[in-house]
């Protein structure tokens, strides 16, 4: 059984900290989107207004399977609206600096879970009352790993390991379940003609991928140079995905270290099976809430304590040392340094309530609203609720 949650039942709005005015070099916009990811939405805006990549800046990445509101800035951008099938863009003022991750403090969520039986609804509601108290392990959730194809190989890992051709092949040619028909066709062409660049160029439509293949026609083995011509925002996503995967593994190992087997439920995430703690004692909850885990990067300084030992062992199992975690040969992307909380708690949690489902007769809905800090995934809360209700996953 799957508990149903339509995209419009999953609403997200960024909570900006900047106050737009009537002066400044950057125009600030409110972007409302549905059925499209943030990079694709920004690319559509750039094409429509013929903008170079570096003039558009945004804060966070918002899921395509939701109705989302976020903000972005354009250097000397047009002060007019843009309305397309999946996006609405409205100018709301001017700011002195480009909008970025530090320009918002978190996100406000509104979620409706549908098609619940009375028993399922009661169990989900009980879990909803426990979440503000117990917190949620702060894993990067599945939408972080949309760039990972059926091979399970990470583009960022291949690059860091020095296999530049493999990294390029994964980025340009491996099929992906999120590919649009045109992208799937171009990837199929590349898989067929990989290494036969003139034939691949002849078969491809005019596109960003074709421009990279054009470079390979003249530089047939310069995979490093070809990868550097992949859009910067995509390359940044590739390396963030691998770093996030490593961090998830570190958190999983830490949870295993501080819990007993009966206090863990293993969940199948997109790139790994990860333990989620249940029935924790107060001291365990407190320890998880106090812990911050290092972001895997050579620039992140770690010592010799228990957390550092866990982090180094996770990376060693990847065949690397902590000091190897850096992006060589590319000057415009890097692995973030710092740390991340092992647990998050929802703020401004409204009273969750049950209603009759207007789409599924005789069934119930569970509605809730809350705020999360920047970087925390509301879909982890949805998983907690659906597990409690007896379902396997949420269906978008």
């Amino acid at each position: 059984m799957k508990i149903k949650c339509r995209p419009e039942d999953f609403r997200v709005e960024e909570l900006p900290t900047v106050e737009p005015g009537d002066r400044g070099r950057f125009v600030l916009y409110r972007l409302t989107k549905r059925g499209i990811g943030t990079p694709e939405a920004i690319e559509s805006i750039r094409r429509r207004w013929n903008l170079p990549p570096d003039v558009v800046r945004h804060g966070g990445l918002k899921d395509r399977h939701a109705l989302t509101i976020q903000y972005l800035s354009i250097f000397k951008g047009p002060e007019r609206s843009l309305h397309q099938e999946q996006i609405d863009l409205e100018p709301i003022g001017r700011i002195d600096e480009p909008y970025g991750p530090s320009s918002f403090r978190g996100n406000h969520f509104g979620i409706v879970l549908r098609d619940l039986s009375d028993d399922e609804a009661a169990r989900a509601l009980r879990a909803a009352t426990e979440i503000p108290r117990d917190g949620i392990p702060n894993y990067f959730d599945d939408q972080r790993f949309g760039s990972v194809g059926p091979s399970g190989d990470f583009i960022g890992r291949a690059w860091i390991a020095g296999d530049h051709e493999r990294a390029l092949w994964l980025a340009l040619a491996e099929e992906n379940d999120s590919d649009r028909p045109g992208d799937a066709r171009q990837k199929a062409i590349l898989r067929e003609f990989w290494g036969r660049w003139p034939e691949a160029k002849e078969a491809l439509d005019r596109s960003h991928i074709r421009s990279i293949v054009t470079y390979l026609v003249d530089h047939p083995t310069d995979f490093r140079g070809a990868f550097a011509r992949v859009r910067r925002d995509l390359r940044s996503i590739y390396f963030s995905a691998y770093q996030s995967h490593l961090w998830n593994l570190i958190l999983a190992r830490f949870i295993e270290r501080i819990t007993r087997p009966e206090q863990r439920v293993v969940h199948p995430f997109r790139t790994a099976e990860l333990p989620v703690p249940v029935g924790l004692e107060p001291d365990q909850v407190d320890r998880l809430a106090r812990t911050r885990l290092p972001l895997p990067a050579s620039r992140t300084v770690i010592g010799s304590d228990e957390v550092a030992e866990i982090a180094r062992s996770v990376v060693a199992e990847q065949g690397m040392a902590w000091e190897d975690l850096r992006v060589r040969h590319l000057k415009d992307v890097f692995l973030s340094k710092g740390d991340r909380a092992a647990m998050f708690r929802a703020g401004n949690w409204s009273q969750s309530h049950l209603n009759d489902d207007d789409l599924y007769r005789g069934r119930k809905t569970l509605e809730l609203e809350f705020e999360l800090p920047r970087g925390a995934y509301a879909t982890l809360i949805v998983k907690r609720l659906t597990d409690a209700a007896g379902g396997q996953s949420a269906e978008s």
Side-chain angles (χ1 to χ4, degrees), residues 228 230 232 235-236 330-334:
V230 175
R232 179 185 177 277
R235 287 185 284 116
S236 180
L330 299 172
K331 297 180 179 181
D332 56 351
V333 292
F334 52 88

Side-chain angles (χ1 to χ4, degrees), residues 329-390:
H329 312 300
L330 299 172
K331 297 180 179 181
D332 56 351
V333 292
F334 52 88
L335 297 177
S336 299
K337 68 177 181 178
D339 54 30
R340 174 180 170 90
M343 171 202 281
F344 69 80
R345 281 192 169 95
N348 291 328
W349 189 278
S350 69
Q351 181 62 43
S352 306
H353 55 277
L354 300 175
N355 289 316
D356 292 331
D357 196 325
D358 57 350
L359 295 182
Y360 301 92
R361 187 174 180 178
R363 309 288 277 184
K364 299 291 186 182
T365 65
L366 173 63
E367 300 182 24
L368 59 156
E369 292 191 23
F370 53 89
E371 293 180 5
L372 292 183
R374 188 171 66 240
Y377 287 79
T379 45
L380 295 172
I381 290 179
V382 174
K383 287 179 177 177
R384 167 76 180 271
L385 295 172
T386 56
D387 287 342

